[in-house]
Amino acid sequence: MSAWGDFNDAPSLPWEEEGSAINHGAIATFLEVVFGYCDGLIPIRGFVDQGQGLETRPHNIWIPADAAAAELLGTYANWAAREGTAVYVIPGTVAEQGQARAEHVRQMQAVVVDLDTGDVEAKLAHLIQHLGPPTLVVQSGGRTAEGAAKLHAWWRLTEPAEGQDLIRLCALRGEMADKVGGDPHFRSAHQPIRVPGTLYRKGGAERVVSIRQHHAEREVDLAEFAEAVAAMPFLPGQERHHSLAQGERPSLDAILTTPVREGAQDGWTRFQGASAAIGHFIRQVHEGRLNRDQGWEAICGYNAACLRPAWPLDRLKAEADALWALHVDRNGPPLLRADGAAPASVPAHTLGALLDDTSPMPDDLIGPRVLTPGGMLVLGGAPKVGKSDFLISLLVHAAAGAPFLRFTAARPLRVFYLQAEIQYHYLRERLQQLRLDRDVVARARDTLVVTPKLRMLLDEQGVPLVAAAIRQAFPDAPPDVICIDPIRNLFDGGPGGEGENDNAAMLFFLQSRVEALRDQVGPQAGIILAHHTKKLAKHQVKDDPFLSLSGASALRGFYTSGMILFRPDEEETPRELHVELRNGPALSPLLIDKASGRWVELDRRAERLVRKDIGRKLDAERTRRHDVILRLIAEEAEEGRLCTANAFASKFENKHGLGGKDNIRERIGVLATKGYIKYRRDARDLGQPYTKSKNGYLVVQEMLLATGEEIIDPETGEIIPATVRVLPSHFQCPQSEALLEVENPEVWVLHDLEEGAA
C-alpha cells in the first residue's frame, strides 16, 4: 500500500462501526508493550491467510514508532479486514522505508516466545514458573492439533536492545523456544508475528487475535532475564526433541555426499539438500574459488548424485539463479575468477637455461628497480611526516613519465590511487598546492585517477567494487600502478577478523585481497602500499629503518621494495628517505625536503655531523642579529639619519644583543655580500652631510628617509612626516668584495648563496 487513501477513504464496513471486530485498544496496548521505547520505523506486513481462496499479493508499509502509530496501524487493520489480509509486524524498528531484513533491525524492546504446538498451557506455566509472568499474553487465533489456543508470550524490557544486546535478545528467543518447544524461527530478528486486535482467517475460521493477559507494570532487565533463561531447565520431555532438532540438519560434508529421497524419507527434504548444496557452490563462485562454469558443473553433479529422483535442470537452474541473486544482494558484487585455466605444472628452469637467457630485462615501472612489473612497493612513515604528500608527488610524476628525485618512469603510467584518508575538498586543495611543472601536470591530467576518502574495507565486497572502478577509469588498457593509502584503513584480515599485527591475517590481505585485485584488472601492474610506522627511538630507526613498519613482520618478507620516510630531527624539516630493493642494488639514503612547494634532494655534504644542537643555536642567533641590523638601519632613516658602517657600529655597540663594534661591522659585511645591504656614496641631495667613508651610507631595501618636513595625508587628512625613498648607488660584489656601481637602482638583487635566492 503506497497511498493511505487506498484504505483511508473507503466507506465504513459493519465491523468498522461501533462494536467492530478490529480491537483498536488491543492494537494500542500491543504497540506500547513492543515499541513504546523504540525509535525508527515499524515494518508492517499484510499476508492473506490460507484457505480463503484469495491470491492477493502481500502489502507492506512502514509507520513511525511514535504517538500516532496506534491510529495508523488501526486504519491499516480496517483496510486489511476488508481485503481478507492478516496483519503482522516485525517486532523491531528499522531506519528506512523498504528495510525488513534481519540486519536492518536496529532496536527491539520485548522478548517473545510463540507456543504453537503440544500442551501450550503447560509450556506457558513452565515459563511463568522460571521467568515470572509475561507482560503480555496473546491468543494468536490459531489452534493446536489438540484444539488449544496458540499463544504468544511477551516480556517487555526496561529499555530497547541495540547492537550486541539485540543479538543477545534474538538468541534468548531461540533458547526459550528450544527449552519449551516453541517456534524456533524467532531466533531471527525479522520473523513477523500477528498483531492483537486484528483478524485471523486461516482455513475459513474467523477469530480476533486477542489479548488474554496484560501486566502493564511488568518489565524485565535484559541481563537478569538472560540469567533466568539460562537457569531455566528444559520442559520435561523437551530435551529429546531439542537434541533431535539439533541433529536434523547434517553437516556440509554429509549434505554433499548423502543421497536425499523424495518425501523427506531421510529427515531432510530434497529442497533442503539442494538449497544447501547450491548455496555452498554459490559462495565458492562469489569468493572466486570457482568460476561460473565450474560452479554450475558442481551443482549439476550434486543433483545427479544425491537427489533421488534428480530435479529437472530447468528447476535446478531457476533455484540457482534465485539463490545467486539473493547472495549478491546481501554480500555485494562477486570476486569472479578469470577464465584462464590454472597452470598444468609448476614452472622450473635449469641453471644453464637461466645463464643462457640474455633477453632484455623488463622495463621498470619506476626505476631504478623501485617498482617492477608485478612488484610491490611499501612506503612507510609516521603520521604527519609528509608521507601522503610525498606519495602524491611521486604518483603525479609517474603518471607524467617524468623524473622525481632519483626515481624515473620510462613512459607515462596509468595510475589508480585508492586513498582512504583525505576527503574530496582537502584532496583537491592539496593537489592544487603542489608546485609542479606545467608540462608534468598536463601529461598526468588523465593518467592519474584518485579516489576521495573511502569508508570501506578491501574485503570480498570491496575488491570487486574497486576493480570495477579501475576498469571504468581505464577502459582501454589495464593500469600500470595501483596505489593503496593507507593499509590500515582498508585492511581485511579474513574470516577470523584478526588485525594487521597477525602474520596470517597480513598474508591473507596481501594475497587474497591486494593481489586478487591486481589479478582482476592487470596482472603486471605494480602495487604501492602506504603504511604507518611504529614509535621507535631515533637510533633504532637509523640502525634498521624497515623494522619500524607497523604490524606483522610478514609484510617485509612479501614486498619487492620498501621506502621509509622519517624526520631525523623533529625540530628540523628535512626528512631521510631509506630505500631497500629486492630486485636491485641498494640505494643510498636520500635527504629530502620541501622547497617552494616541491620535494628536492639536499646535499648531505652540507649537513653537520657533530655538535648539531649548538650549531643550530648559533645559526639562529646569527639570523636574529641580521634581522635586528636591517631593522635598525631602516628605523634610523625614518628618523632622518643615514649611517655609515662605522657610525652604526659605534652607536649600537653592546645594544640589542649585537655585541661589540667589530662583530657589528662583520655582520654588516656579510649582509652586504649577500645583497641585503647596499651603499649610497653621496647623499647631499637628500640633505645628508658629505661622508669620507669609502663605501658611503648604509641602504636597505624599501628604505625611507624623513626630510624633517610634514605633509597632509590626502586620504585621511592626517599630518605625517614627509619621506623620500633612498636608492643605492653602489653594491658589494659577492665574488671580489669590490664596490661596484648599481646598474639600475630600482631593481634590488640579492646574492644569498645560503638560501639559493636570486
Side-chain angles (χ1 to χ4, degrees):
M1 295 304 298
S2 58
W4 284 101
D6 289 345
F7 50 84
N8 247 357
D9 302 333
S12 298
L13 294 177
W15 54 72
E16 298 173 15
E17 305 296 341
E18 184 136 357
S20 164
I22 299 299
N23 188 332
H24 294 269
I27 292 175
T29 298
F30 173 77
L31 290 176
E32 176 61 26
V33 171
V34 180
F35 298 101
Y37 299 146
C38 291
D39 297 321
L41 300 176
I42 304 171
I44 309 297
R45 297 285 172 263
F47 302 113
V48 174
D49 277 333
Q50 297 175 356
Q52 301 182 79
L54 300 176
E55 296 184 357
T56 307
R57 296 181 60 187
H59 295 282
N60 304 324
I61 64 169
W62 285 258
I63 63 174
D66 56 19
E71 180 181 356
L72 295 176
L73 184 52
T75 306
Y76 180 84
N78 287 334
W79 169 86
R82 185 177 72 243
E83 297 295 322
T85 299
V87 181
Y88 290 79
V89 65
I90 293 175
T93 54
V94 298
E96 299 177 5
Q97 295 271 347
Q99 294 183 339
R101 296 207 300 263
E103 60 267 27
H104 294 151
V105 177
R106 67 176 190 177
Q107 283 188 342
M108 281 185 168
Q109 72 170 51
V111 185
V112 64
V113 60
D114 181 6
L115 307 176
D116 57 356
T117 59
D119 190 345
V120 172
E121 298 299 332
K123 294 177 179 182
L124 179 61
H126 186 79
L127 290 167
I128 294 175
Q129 177 185 353
H130 296 282
L131 305 180
T135 308
L136 198 67
V137 178
V138 176
Q139 293 187 171
S140 66
R143 296 291 184 265
T144 66
E146 296 78 14
K150 297 181 179 180
L151 302 177
H152 302 158
W154 296 88
W155 284 263
R156 186 187 196 186
L157 300 179
T158 55
E159 61 182 355
E162 300 178 346
Q164 292 299 315
D165 284 342
L166 186 58
I167 297 173
R168 188 180 190 185
L169 185 152
C170 292
L172 282 179
R173 300 199 313 188
E175 186 176 355
M176 292 164 66
D178 286 343
K179 289 188 172 182
V180 299
D183 187 345
H185 292 94
F186 283 88
R187 285 185 183 276
S188 176
H190 71 306
Q191 178 67 23
I193 194 166
R194 287 184 187 269
V195 176
T198 62
L199 296 182
Y200 170 96
R201 286 174 170 159
K202 265 189 182 180
E206 182 175 309
R207 304 184 186 94
V208 177
V209 182
S210 60
I211 295 177
R212 178 198 282 189
Q213 295 176 4
H214 177 215
H215 301 287
E217 75 290 347
R218 173 69 169 152
E219 292 185 347
V220 296
D221 177 78
L222 179 61
E224 295 175 356
F225 192 71
E227 292 178 1
V229 171
M232 180 176 68
F234 281 88
L235 184 70
Q238 189 58 34
E239 301 93 330
R240 181 176 61 85
H241 294 293
H242 175 71
S243 62
L244 288 175
Q246 293 294 318
E248 281 178 357
R249 180 168 183 149
S251 66
L252 180 61
D253 289 341
I255 290 172
L256 298 178
T257 58
T258 303
V260 185
R261 293 172 291 177
E262 192 175 25
Q265 300 177 52
D266 307 290
W268 183 246
T269 67
R270 288 189 304 161
F271 178 80
Q272 290 172 315
S275 296
I278 292 171
H280 167 69
F281 294 122
I282 279 176
R283 285 190 296 274
Q284 289 199 317
V285 173
H286 189 271
E287 294 171 3
R289 302 170 189 264
L290 301 175
N291 61 36
R292 287 182 181 270
D293 292 338
Q294 291 169 335
W296 174 243
E297 183 179 350
I299 291 171
C300 292
Y302 171 82
N303 182 51
C306 294
L307 296 190
R308 311 286 176 81
W311 276 3
L313 288 182
D314 56 349
R315 180 183 178 186
L316 192 70
K317 183 69 164 59
E319 184 68 17
D321 289 344
L323 289 177
W324 173 262
L326 181 62
H327 190 77
V328 170
D329 181 55
R330 289 181 175 177
N331 300 284
L335 178 60
L336 297 179
R337 285 186 58 183
D339 293 332
S345 61
V346 176
H349 308 281
T350 65
L351 173 63
L354 294 171
L355 293 175
D356 295 340
D357 186 356
T358 58
S359 59
M361 294 294 293
D363 291 335
D364 295 339
L365 294 173
I366 300 177
R369 302 288 176 90
V370 171
L371 186 62
T372 53
M376 179 182 292
L377 164 64
V378 173
L379 170 63
K384 311 303 180 186
V385 76
K387 182 172 66 272
S388 293
D389 193 290
F390 174 86
L391 183 57
I392 290 172
S393 295
L394 173 64
L395 295 179
V396 170
H397 285 81
F404 174 67
L405 301 176
R406 298 185 195 173
F407 313 121
T408 58
R411 58 177 175 81
L413 304 178
R414 293 176 294 276
V415 181
F416 190 88
Y417 182 22
L418 177 69
Q419 69 89 27
E421 278 194 326
I422 309 171
Q423 295 171 318
Y424 171 80
H425 295 292
Y426 307 101
L427 174 66
R428 66 181 176 89
E429 179 184 54
R430 180 172 294 192
L431 290 170
Q432 291 167 6
Q433 289 174 346
L434 292 176
R435 297 294 182 263
L436 301 171
D437 294 335
R438 291 185 178 181
D439 60 330
V440 170
V441 174
R443 283 182 284 167
R445 289 186 68 91
D446 299 320
T447 52
L448 173 60
V449 178
V450 188
T451 68
K453 181 177 181 178
L454 298 178
R455 300 181 184 276
M456 61 176 290
L457 294 179
L458 201 61
D459 54 13
E460 61 182 13
Q461 287 86 37
V463 168
L465 288 175
V466 175
I470 295 175
R471 293 192 191 99
Q472 183 177 1
F474 303 112
D476 301 325
D480 296 306
V481 178
I482 302 169
C483 181
I484 297 173
D485 178 16
I487 291 177
R488 179 173 298 170
N489 291 9
L490 295 158
F491 187 82
D492 172 43
E498 292 84 358
E500 63 186 69
N501 293 318
D502 184 86
N503 276 314
M506 178 61 75
L507 286 174
F508 176 88
F509 177 72
L510 296 174
Q511 293 174 334
S512 300
R513 299 301 185 231
V514 177
E515 289 198 328
L517 173 63
R518 173 170 61 189
D519 291 344
Q520 283 199 64
V521 297
Q524 292 303 307
I527 293 173
I528 300 178
L529 303 178
H531 197 33
H532 295 301
T533 53
K534 296 177 286 192
K535 293 182 179 180
L536 297 178
K538 295 296 181 184
H539 71 274
Q540 291 177 299
V541 178
K542 291 180 179 179
D543 290 343
D544 190 345
F546 295 92
L547 286 179
S548 64
L549 283 173
S550 180
S553 59
L555 177 63
R556 189 176 184 185
F558 199 88
Y559 62 65
T560 56
S561 56
M563 291 182 177
I564 295 292
L565 184 69
F566 76 98
R567 185 177 282 123
D569 191 325
E570 295 298 334
E571 297 181 1
E572 297 292 327
T573 59
R575 289 86 156 173
E576 284 191 4
L577 182 68
H578 289 255
V579 184
E580 71 171 357
L581 306 176
R582 182 161 289 131
N583 295 331
L587 299 180
S588 58
L590 287 72
L591 186 65
I592 60 176
D593 201 359
K594 292 286 291 289
S596 301
R598 302 183 183 187
W599 288 95
V600 296
E601 184 175 1
L602 306 180
D603 187 357
R604 278 189 172 275
R605 292 174 297 179
E607 183 184 12
R608 283 191 178 94
L609 300 179
V610 296
R611 306 187 72 186
K612 295 183 179 182
D613 290 341
I614 191 171
R616 282 196 300 271
K617 293 178 181 178
L618 294 174
D619 290 343
E621 174 60 16
R622 279 191 288 269
T623 300
R624 186 196 68 81
R625 291 186 183 187
H626 289 178
D627 292 341
V628 171
I629 289 172
L630 296 177
R631 176 172 56 80
L632 291 175
I633 292 173
E635 289 176 355
E636 286 291 296
E638 290 174 358
E639 294 179 4
R641 298 184 295 273
L642 296 183
C643 299
T644 64
N646 283 332
F648 182 88
S650 299
K651 182 173 183 178
F652 292 103
E653 181 181 24
N654 295 324
K655 295 180 180 179
H656 302 285
L658 294 179
K661 291 173 57 177
D662 291 341
N663 284 334
I664 296 175
R665 280 195 295 266
E666 181 183 350
R667 291 298 101 200
I668 290 174
V670 171
L671 289 169
T673 301
K674 292 181 177 182
Y676 289 98
I677 292 178
K678 301 184 189 300
Y679 298 98
R680 176 82 175 233
R681 291 288 294 271
D682 188 354
R684 284 177 290 181
D685 59 326
L686 299 178
Q688 298 295 311
Y690 173 77
T691 176
K692 295 182 179 180
S693 170
K694 68 172 185 176
N695 291 341
Y697 292 110
L698 303 175
V699 180
V700 298
Q701 194 171 6
E702 303 296 336
M703 192 167 84
L704 298 175
L705 175 67
T707 62
E709 301 177 356
E710 294 180 338
I711 60 173
I712 299 176
D713 189 323
E715 294 184 0
T716 65
E718 180 184 4
I719 298 176
I720 58 175
T723 58
V724 295
R725 289 182 63 198
V726 181
L727 298 176
S729 61
H730 292 74
F731 73 98
Q732 188 166 308
C733 176
Q735 284 81 30
S736 65
E737 296 188 355
L739 202 65
L740 304 177
E741 288 190 9
V742 173
E743 294 181 5
N744 184 352
E746 295 289 345
V747 178
W748 196 280
V749 180
L750 298 176
H751 306 284
D752 193 343
L753 301 180
E754 292 180 0
E755 298 296 330

